[in-house]
Amino acid sequence: MRCEFLGTGTSHGIPVIACSCHCCRSTDSRDKRFRASLWITEGDFRAPDTSILIDMGPDFRSQALKSSINRLDALLLTHGHADHLNGLDDIRIFSHTASQTPPQADGKVRVYQETEGEGLPVYGNELTLRDVHRRFSYVFQPVMEGGGKPKVKTIDCSVYGRENPLEIGGISLIPVPLLHGRLETTGWIILRNLGEGKGIRGLAYLTDCNHVPQCSLELLVELGPCLEHVVIDGLRPQLHSTHFSYDQALDLALQIGGRYNWLTHLCHDRTHVEIQSYLQERLEELGRGDFHCQPAYDGLVLEV
């Protein structure tokens, strides 16, 4: 299973519009950050057997072109904020309703058929799906003349859990309730079976949060030994009302005990290299210099 970071930035992205700070002016490619998103594939990513996306922000078109995404089987949403949802219209390439051309010179109107099935499955909690229906209301109204529109099927992810995970193409997915300030968001645990007697391996993706409810923490700690990678929201060094700071993210990573740990949803307070140094210094102070915790960056590929 291959997991590629399509974006690792906060809602502004990096560089930030009209900002001339040292991070926004950095020439290090790791300091160029699209809005946060993760692409998960099984098989050859150039022609994957399974292709799943977590979050679809306003940079999705550029991300999809950059990473050559040519198939999508499902969209998992963490929450309904613009930087995680507002690229939804661009799934028309993968799942769309019927469209038609205006009358041609010969007087004929050509109709293009819609994709089969009920539409691309979009999973999220109740609040998130409510945002989808409100913000993209035209998607759920009768088809109008023109170029078609996204065809989606929204599904409440709260019906899935540890004992009954969501199964997509051999990949098991468990929603993890989180809090982003007072907003209920969803983290995701992605697992693959290694074969008979070999156990499971996986990745936890926990963005846009500043609190992990006890039931979610217990689940993450239980699965910690199986987690090859843990991805955690780590906005900046200072405390924030809706995001983990570097130190808070590091503390959570140490509690979960995954093998490799990565911070995402990063703002422009520090460059990639500066975040690396900060985390290593904190780990040395804690006597855990051997613990792996690094900032993620756009284009980073993790294998599970």
Side-chain angles (χ1 to χ4, degrees):
M1 184 168 66
R2 179 182 187 274
C3 302
E4 178 180 345
F5 287 92
L6 302 182
T8 54
T10 186
S11 57
H12 290 295
I14 302 176
V16 175
I17 295 171
C19 182
S20 58
C21 75
H22 75 293
C23 182
C24 289
R25 289 185 288 106
S26 169
T27 58
D28 187 336
S29 62
R30 295 171 297 182
D31 291 322
K32 310 302 180 187
R33 301 183 185 275
F34 283 132
R35 269 61 77 93
S37 179
L38 189 74
W39 180 35
I40 304 151
T41 55
E42 188 71 83
D44 185 345
F45 75 97
R46 289 160 295 196
D49 299 321
T50 305
S51 175
I52 301 168
L53 193 70
I54 301 182
D55 288 340
M56 184 176 279
D59 297 319
F60 175 66
R61 179 180 179 276
S62 296
Q63 292 167 330
L65 290 170
K66 182 179 179 181
S67 295
S68 300
I69 298 176
N70 56 24
R71 171 178 174 172
L72 200 56
D73 296 306
L75 171 62
L76 312 180
L77 294 173
T78 59
H79 63 301
H81 284 170
D83 54 320
H84 296 260
L85 175 60
N86 275 15
L88 187 70
D89 192 76
D90 284 323
I91 67 162
R92 283 181 295 163
I93 296 300
F94 305 109
S95 181
H96 55 84
T97 61
S99 62
Q100 66 183 56
T101 66
Q104 305 298 295
D106 57 9
K108 294 181 178 179
V109 172
R110 292 175 173 79
V111 177
Y112 298 89
Q113 297 302 312
E114 65 182 62
T115 51
E116 297 180 357
E118 298 178 281
L120 184 78
V122 176
Y123 298 89
N125 65 24
E126 182 181 357
L127 290 173
T128 301
L129 298 185
R130 192 181 304 164
D131 280 340
V132 173
H133 283 259
R134 181 173 59 247
R135 199 172 308 156
F136 296 89
S137 58
Y138 65 91
V139 170
F140 305 97
Q141 294 171 359
V143 176
M144 296 183 292
E145 180 179 340
K149 61 186 182 182
K151 185 180 181 182
V152 303
K153 178 184 180 182
T154 55
I155 303 167
D156 189 340
C157 66
S158 64
V159 300
Y160 300 101
R162 176 73 172 94
E163 302 305 320
N164 61 323
L166 168 63
E167 302 282 353
I168 303 175
I171 298 175
S172 299
L173 303 127
I174 304 171
V176 182
L178 303 170
L179 285 174
H180 182 31
R182 289 178 291 178
L183 179 66
E184 296 176 4
T185 60
T186 304
W188 291 93
I189 296 173
I190 303 102
L191 300 171
R192 63 184 292 262
N193 195 314
L194 299 178
E196 189 171 348
K198 296 182 180 179
I200 57 174
R201 285 289 180 273
L203 175 148
Y205 189 76
L206 314 170
T207 192
D208 285 64
C209 57
N210 69 324
H211 178 71
V212 180
Q214 186 61 32
C215 60
S216 297
L217 182 60
E218 290 173 0
L219 172 63
L220 290 162
V221 171
E222 175 193 344
L223 291 174
C226 304
L227 296 175
E228 191 76 1
H229 300 281
V230 178
V231 182
I232 303 175
D233 178 330
L235 183 72
R236 63 187 191 186
Q238 303 87 357
L239 295 177
H240 190 276
S241 60
T242 62
H243 292 275
F244 280 133
S245 67
Y246 299 162
D247 287 343
Q248 290 171 322
L250 182 56
D251 179 64
L252 177 60
L254 288 164
Q255 289 184 68
I256 295 171
R259 185 175 181 185
Y260 299 105
N261 301 272
W262 309 91
L263 302 194
T264 192
H265 213 281
L266 300 158
C267 78
H268 63 150
D269 281 26
R270 306 235 175 155
T271 65
H272 181 90
V273 170
E274 289 170 343
I275 300 170
Q276 280 182 315
S277 298
Y278 182 98
L279 293 171
Q280 192 58 44
E281 288 174 9
R282 293 293 294 124
L283 285 167
E284 296 290 348
E285 291 171 4
L286 295 169
R288 294 298 306 273
D290 60 337
F291 188 76
H292 184 282
C293 188
Q294 294 279 316
Y297 55 88
D298 293 18
L300 172 65
V301 174
L302 306 179
E303 297 288 347
V304 179

